[in-house]
Amino acid sequence: MKKAIQLIKKHATFLKGMFILIVSVLVVAQLLSIFKTLSLSKFQNILDNVSWWQFAIILLVGLIAIIPMLGYDFTLKKMANLEYPNRYIFEASWIINTINNLAGFGGLVSIGLRNEFFGKGAKDKRIIGALTKILVFVLSGLSIYSLFFFVLIQFFSLSDYVKQYWIWLLGAGLYFPIVFLFARRKKEGLLSGLSVKNRWRLTATSFFEWTGMIVTFSLIGYFLKSPIPLSDAIPLFIAATVIGIVSMIPGGLGSFDVMMILGFSSLGLPRETVVLWLLLYRIAYYFLPFLLGALLFSKHLFTKLDEKYNGIPLQLVIEIFHKLIVGLLYFSGMIMILVATIPEAFTTNKWLEHLNPFRLHIIAQFPSILLGFSLLIMGRGIAARVKRAYWPTIILLVVTIFYAFLTDFSLLTVFYFVLLLLLVIVAKRELYREQLVYSWETMTVDGIIYGILTILYLIIGFYNLPSFSNHFGHHYHHPLKPGSFLLFPSEKAWLSGFIAIMIVIAFLSLFTRYLRGFKKKVGEPLNKEVANHILTTYGGNIDSELIFLRDKEMYIYYEETEPTVFLQFRTINNKCVVMGNPSGKKEDFTAALKAFIFDCDALGYLPVFYEVSEKTVLTMHEFGYDFIKMGEEALVDLHSFSLAGKKQRGARALMNRLTKEGYTFEVVQPPFTNQVITELRAISDSWLEGRKEKGFSLGFFDEPYLQRNPIALVKNQAGEIVSFANIIPTYTKESATIDLMRHHKEKAPSGSMDFLFIHLFDYLKEDGIHYFNLGMAPLSNVGKYRSSFIQERIAAFVYEFGSELYSFQGLREYKSKYASLWNPRYTLYSRDSWILYVMIALLIIDNQKTDETLTE
């Protein structure tokens, strides 16, 4: 006997597997023989008698029935002193229990899953000990019901067929009393340390779990109008469940079903009804909760993956999700308009019929067109992530759903719009911008869409006219053949649609105005005190002084309460065009750029960084910005510059000639008298010859601006000023430059600006300046080669032919006479911007009249 027991223990796994295999084969064979006797037509008739709302209630009750099972894991939290939040316990418990319902295997699957979720994959003795105690009580609810119905069939008149299962009910019924008494008396071992409170808590959880199963099963029988009384159906259900558990087949699949089909068939219920009953039960209590659990499990895995890869997967999913919603809104709007415009096309053409998710026949004319265009504009608001678009989109989708109900009810249409409504609700947190700034790019896209839809509507209306007359009264028939799917039902319908388009335009204007809000802007007007503080404390660059022209806004970055960096920019359309590199504390540049991008984004603007250095390019490229080369700036090394040598032979001759002719160089310091300013203005006007000045990236004649810094002058023999240039400080000893270079067209000799430059080089060298910046040669070496970026070639084209005042050809050649170093300058722009529109914006800003932007 001992040898036999040892042999069984040694091969226990093999014997268990063979037992499951044999049982499974027998069950499958029995199921196959049963299904051969089923009638599909009868099955279909029974299914047709169950309404959609009954299906919905069954599924809802099946989901609710799972909830009591969550009590096991909340009890585990108390027993093992777990520190997980309740939400995590809820989600993990749903996943574990719904998977275990299908997998079965005596609860072993649930132990492994709970150890993974609550023990983080490690063999936590505390958790494993608590799980073994819980597992013992899982069947206590089934045992209580088994004992109850065993007593019931002994003392009450029930079906003889049900009574034959008394042994299964008795065996299962004895389980709970034995376990409860054993747990109460056992001081050591498996059930030791289990408090009375936890024992009752586990018992109640198990009882309500099995109650949920019984209620779900009984409700399905009620909707199927089963004639079998519950006093017979429930004991048979419990007995079949016990047999399914003993069979050890996952979820009792097969063995339970065979018992129920044979049992209910013997009680007079058609097999087709029994099969449908079991199918609905499996779907409601097992598969639907499992699908929800699978979604939660996917979320759990995705959260871990997202944490591992620093949030990148979540950002990617959110972006895809957002684009999906926008695409669906645009698709819905266009389809609704087209259905109203060419309804026959969606009934006579199969591919269009399949493309149309609405399947609506009555939706046409004004409501459909109005809703369609409204969906398009709300799609734009959602695409721009505007907060104000949320509630109008929700209301619009609800109205569309009701409209579908009232006109031509289609379950597919309603489901489609309900799904879209849910997607918008879920995506609410992605709508963070304060306003819609309608960019030229989006205007172009939307304009093409609106234009095609409107023109299509008008053309179709014209070609739908049955005939038309010329001014001689001759009558002509239209060449299009009747019956084409582009024909309207009538001209009257088309006219009403045309009126609808006029009304739609008004609605679109109102919606767009609403989404735009109060048009908040980034930054603030020039704050001279802050700008001076930053520049004198931390230094600047060759563009910093341009902020005092007052033609740009100012963005100030604060380190705590101390202003350390500023950016100067001008806003046009949705583009905040920043002039040059940031000014101020270099260590804060990255933080300042990040803050500026964030503030622009919140208000719907896209920064464009104009004429920046390579270092800024590297920083902004990490933020996802594209760049193009805009030209090169020329630097003169003042410590090595000399007029000696063959290269400077012409410059030496020029200096000697003008010196002999009595021309002199002088640097004057502010403040300047009115007489000096008047002379300088006369020179500037002569040089301009009536043309308007550039602004933004270059200085213009502005007295407050000129009064800030020294001015280099060239005077003739009579002491008259004939040329001048204002010296621009960088607030460092690294470099200096000039801004306005003006000479009198009549009084200034040829070469006066070279005379000024060469003297200025010596002046700045004596002041300790290392480099003189001659400024940028725009488009220098940009877009010249076949391998150049297409963006750079477009930029070169726009900029080359867009300037009215300055010609860029030959500028590099002129500066090369003195330059010893060339540094590239770039323009950075967001990938949401089109390079063509970026260049147009730069062109407009650079050539905008100074009196249009200048503010005191």
Side-chain angles (χ1 to χ4, degrees):
M1 186 69 179
K2 290 183 179 180
K3 290 183 178 181
I5 294 173
Q6 290 176 354
L7 187 64
I8 291 172
K9 287 182 178 180
K10 184 178 180 181
H11 301 285
T13 303
F14 173 76
L15 294 173
K16 181 180 178 181
M18 288 300 298
F19 173 76
I20 295 174
L21 179 61
I22 293 170
V23 173
S24 299
V25 170
L26 293 174
V27 167
V28 171
Q30 187 65 42
L31 284 174
L32 289 174
S33 64
I34 291 172
F35 285 129
K36 287 180 181 178
T37 64
L38 296 178
S39 170
L40 292 178
S41 60
K42 290 182 179 179
F43 187 86
Q44 184 64 46
N45 290 334
I46 299 170
L47 185 62
D48 291 339
N49 290 327
V50 182
S51 63
W52 68 268
W53 63 268
Q54 290 174 329
F55 277 119
I57 292 176
I58 290 171
L59 296 178
L60 179 62
V61 171
L63 290 173
I64 295 173
I66 298 296
I67 295 177
M69 302 178 72
L70 309 184
Y72 294 124
D73 296 287
F74 282 100
T75 303
L76 174 64
K77 179 181 179 180
K78 295 181 180 295
M79 293 172 61
N81 296 318
L82 302 179
E83 297 181 355
Y84 295 100
N86 289 337
R87 180 175 178 178
Y88 180 84
I89 297 290
F90 180 93
E91 292 182 359
S93 182
W94 190 284
I95 295 169
I96 292 166
N97 287 294
T98 54
I99 292 176
N100 185 67
N101 278 351
L102 282 179
F105 291 115
L108 295 178
V109 172
S110 68
I111 292 178
L113 289 172
R114 284 187 170 95
N115 190 59
E116 177 66 29
F117 276 94
F118 304 128
K120 297 182 179 179
K123 291 185 178 180
D124 193 326
K125 294 181 179 180
R126 177 186 50 152
I127 293 177
I128 293 176
L131 287 176
T132 54
K133 295 178 176 65
I134 291 173
L135 190 61
V136 171
F137 277 85
V138 167
L139 296 176
S140 57
L142 178 64
S143 177
I144 293 171
Y145 274 109
S146 298
L147 190 61
F148 172 77
F149 282 103
F150 170 76
V151 174
L152 191 68
I153 64 175
Q154 299 301 319
F155 296 100
F156 294 92
S157 177
L158 299 181
S159 169
D160 292 335
Y161 184 85
V162 175
K163 286 183 179 182
Q164 67 177 321
Y165 291 103
W166 67 270
I167 187 65
W168 295 98
L169 295 174
L170 177 61
L174 293 175
Y175 177 83
F176 171 67
I178 294 173
V179 167
F180 204 85
L181 290 173
F182 186 78
R184 185 176 180 181
R185 295 185 178 184
K186 193 70 175 178
K187 303 299 182 183
E188 297 179 357
L190 181 66
L191 297 177
S192 61
L194 188 62
S195 66
V196 176
K197 189 175 183 179
N198 284 334
R199 287 201 298 269
W200 282 112
R201 185 180 284 116
L202 291 173
T203 302
T205 299
S206 178
F207 177 79
F208 286 113
E209 172 196 351
W210 292 97
T211 301
M213 295 174 67
I214 292 170
V215 169
T216 304
F217 187 80
S218 303
L219 179 68
I220 297 171
Y222 173 76
F223 285 141
L224 292 176
K225 299 178 176 59
S226 168
I228 301 175
L230 292 179
S231 56
D232 287 336
I234 296 177
L236 185 57
F237 170 80
I238 293 172
T241 302
V242 173
I243 294 171
I245 293 172
V246 173
S247 71
M248 291 186 290
I249 298 175
L253 290 170
S255 54
F256 168 81
D257 303 272
V258 168
M259 292 299 302
M260 294 305 298
I261 293 171
L262 295 176
F264 280 175
S265 298
S266 299
L267 294 175
L269 194 64
R271 286 188 173 183
E272 291 79 7
T273 303
V274 183
V275 170
L276 180 58
W277 191 340
L278 295 174
L279 180 63
L280 292 175
Y281 172 66
R282 290 292 186 186
I283 292 173
Y285 190 78
Y286 287 91
F287 291 105
L288 183 61
F290 171 76
L291 289 177
L292 182 57
L295 291 175
L296 293 174
F297 186 63
S298 300
K299 175 192 170 187
H300 173 76
L301 290 179
F302 183 81
T303 301
K304 284 192 170 183
L305 183 69
D306 190 59
E307 292 174 353
K308 182 179 179 180
Y309 292 101
N310 300 319
I312 295 176
L314 179 60
Q315 293 177 8
L316 182 61
V317 168
I318 289 174
E319 188 64 26
I320 294 173
F321 188 68
H322 175 257
K323 290 187 181 302
L324 174 64
I325 295 174
V326 173
L328 290 176
L329 283 171
Y330 267 78
F331 172 76
S332 303
M334 288 188 290
I335 290 294
M336 290 192 74
I337 295 168
L338 290 174
V339 167
T341 306
I342 44 175
E344 286 82 0
F346 290 87
T347 57
T348 59
N349 288 267
K350 291 296 181 184
W351 66 275
L352 283 176
E353 184 179 2
H354 291 302
L355 184 65
N356 176 20
F358 307 140
R359 302 295 189 270
L360 302 181
H361 306 291
I362 299 177
I363 287 187
Q365 306 312 317
F366 177 72
S368 183
I369 293 172
L370 181 60
L371 290 173
F373 275 105
S374 299
L375 285 171
L376 289 178
I377 193 62
M378 286 306 141
R380 174 53 56 200
I382 297 295
R385 293 181 166 91
V386 179
K387 289 180 183 178
R388 298 166 71 91
Y390 178 73
W391 282 112
T393 306
I394 295 294
I395 295 170
L396 182 62
L397 288 172
V398 171
V399 170
T400 305
I401 292 170
F402 276 106
Y403 179 61
F405 268 112
L406 295 174
T407 53
D408 190 3
F409 174 76
S410 167
L411 187 60
L412 176 62
T413 303
V414 173
F415 175 78
Y416 174 85
F417 277 114
V418 168
L419 178 62
L420 184 53
L421 177 63
L422 292 175
L423 289 175
V424 173
I425 292 173
V426 172
K428 181 181 180 180
R429 68 173 186 170
E430 290 305 306
L431 308 179
Y432 60 88
R433 292 193 176 117
E434 299 292 333
Q435 60 190 6
L436 172 67
V437 182
Y438 222 150
S439 68
W440 294 331
E441 291 85 348
T442 55
M443 284 181 186
T444 302
V445 173
D446 290 349
I448 291 172
I449 294 173
Y450 297 158
I452 289 175
L453 292 173
T454 304
I455 292 171
L456 179 64
Y457 196 87
L458 296 174
I459 290 176
I460 291 169
F462 173 76
Y463 278 96
N464 182 56
L465 294 174
S467 60
F468 59 94
S469 301
N470 66 5
H471 62 281
F472 293 107
H474 293 100
H475 196 69
Y476 294 95
H477 291 281
H478 200 275
L480 288 184
K481 294 180 180 180
S484 169
F485 71 82
L486 293 177
L487 297 183
F488 264 111
S490 68
E491 293 80 20
K492 182 180 179 182
W494 175 83
L495 181 60
S496 65
F498 178 76
I499 295 172
I501 288 180
M502 297 297 102
I503 298 175
V504 161
I505 291 174
F507 267 84
L508 291 181
S509 300
L510 291 174
F511 276 146
T512 304
R513 193 176 188 85
Y514 168 77
L515 293 175
R516 283 176 173 170
F518 300 101
K519 199 172 183 180
K520 300 177 183 177
K521 287 192 174 183
V522 184
E524 59 188 74
L526 170 65
N527 187 323
K528 290 184 180 180
E529 289 74 18
V530 173
N532 280 318
H533 169 75
I534 292 175
L535 292 174
T536 54
T537 305
Y538 302 105
N541 54 59
I542 63 167
D543 300 313
S544 298
E545 192 70 9
L546 295 177
I547 186 68
F548 297 103
L549 284 167
R550 298 165 293 148
D551 66 336
K552 293 177 279 292
E553 291 85 33
M554 181 179 184
Y555 181 85
I556 305 171
Y557 174 76
Y558 294 86
E559 185 180 17
E560 295 182 354
T561 58
E562 170 72 10
T564 60
V565 178
F566 74 79
L567 288 83
Q568 50 181 319
F569 66 98
R570 191 185 295 171
T571 303
I572 179 170
N573 189 237
N574 74 321
K575 297 164 182 62
C576 293
V577 183
V578 179
M579 179 59 225
N581 297 305
S583 302
K585 188 177 179 182
K586 293 182 178 180
E587 293 80 5
D588 288 351
F589 279 4
T590 300
L593 290 170
K594 186 177 180 180
F596 180 68
I597 293 171
F598 179 84
D599 289 348
C600 286
D601 185 53
L603 293 177
Y605 295 101
L606 291 174
V608 174
F609 297 88
Y610 181 46
E611 293 188 7
V612 297
S613 64
E614 287 181 328
K615 189 172 182 180
T616 303
V617 170
L618 293 175
T619 301
M620 296 306 301
H621 194 59
E622 293 181 359
F623 294 151
Y625 275 66
D626 281 336
F627 63 93
I628 58 171
K629 185 179 178 182
M630 290 299 293
E632 296 176 334
E633 62 179 4
L635 297 178
V636 180
D637 189 337
L638 299 179
H639 294 286
S640 63
F641 178 78
S642 173
L643 289 180
K646 184 177 179 180
K647 181 180 178 181
Q648 300 298 340
R649 183 173 55 187
R652 290 196 304 272
L654 173 69
M655 296 295 291
N656 292 331
R657 177 174 62 83
L658 292 183
T659 301
K660 289 179 180 180
E661 293 177 1
Y663 288 95
T664 59
F665 171 82
E666 181 183 354
V667 175
V668 292
Q669 302 292 332
F672 308 115
T673 64
N674 290 334
Q675 181 182 352
V676 171
I677 293 296
T678 301
E679 288 187 64
L680 297 180
R681 186 179 291 278
I683 294 171
S684 179
D685 292 342
S686 172
W687 182 81
L688 287 171
E689 293 182 328
R691 297 168 299 183
K692 68 181 181 66
E693 295 201 68
K694 274 178 167 290
F696 189 68
S697 62
L698 295 173
F700 47 84
F701 196 96
D702 177 60
E703 182 177 346
Y705 177 62
L706 294 175
Q707 290 282 8
R708 289 186 50 82
N709 298 296
I711 296 178
L713 306 175
V714 175
K715 295 183 178 180
N716 60 16
Q717 305 90 327
E720 293 178 300
I721 302 173
V722 294
S723 302
F724 75 91
N726 63 324
I727 301 173
I728 300 298
T730 62
Y731 299 88
T732 67
K733 292 297 183 180
E734 179 69 17
S735 63
T737 188
I738 60 171
D739 191 4
L740 275 73
M741 297 182 294
R742 305 287 162 91
H743 64 270
H744 200 287
K745 286 288 185 177
E746 298 174 356
K747 297 180 180 181
S750 174
S752 65
M753 295 312 299
D754 292 279
F755 184 81
L756 185 149
F757 275 139
I758 293 170
H759 277 295
L760 190 59
F761 293 163
D762 292 334
Y763 173 84
L764 294 173
K765 181 179 178 180
E766 292 176 3
D767 196 34
I769 303 299
H770 194 99
Y771 289 103
F772 181 81
N773 195 310
L774 285 168
M776 196 175 77
L779 307 178
S780 176
N781 292 330
V782 176
K784 287 187 174 182
Y785 308 105
R786 291 175 63 91
S787 58
S788 298
F789 293 151
I790 185 64
Q791 296 96 320
E792 292 180 348
R793 301 176 82 169
I794 293 173
F797 174 81
V798 174
Y799 227 69
E800 186 75 26
F801 295 97
S803 175
E804 296 178 3
L805 184 58
Y806 297 99
S807 173
F808 302 122
Q809 297 180 4
L811 191 57
R812 180 185 174 93
E813 183 179 348
Y814 174 80
K815 294 183 178 183
S816 295
K817 293 189 300 183
Y818 308 112
S820 52
L821 180 67
W822 290 90
N823 284 338
R825 286 281 188 149
Y826 302 88
T827 289
L828 292 150
Y829 60 96
S830 168
R831 290 171 184 171
D832 292 330
S833 297
W834 298 359
I835 183 61
L836 177 62
Y837 285 139
V838 170
M839 297 310 303
I840 290 174
L842 294 177
L843 196 62
I844 293 173
I845 285 178
D846 258 348
N847 290 279
Q848 194 169 16
K849 291 182 180 179
T850 55
D851 57 0
E852 291 178 356
T853 57
L854 187 60
T855 55
E856 295 296 335

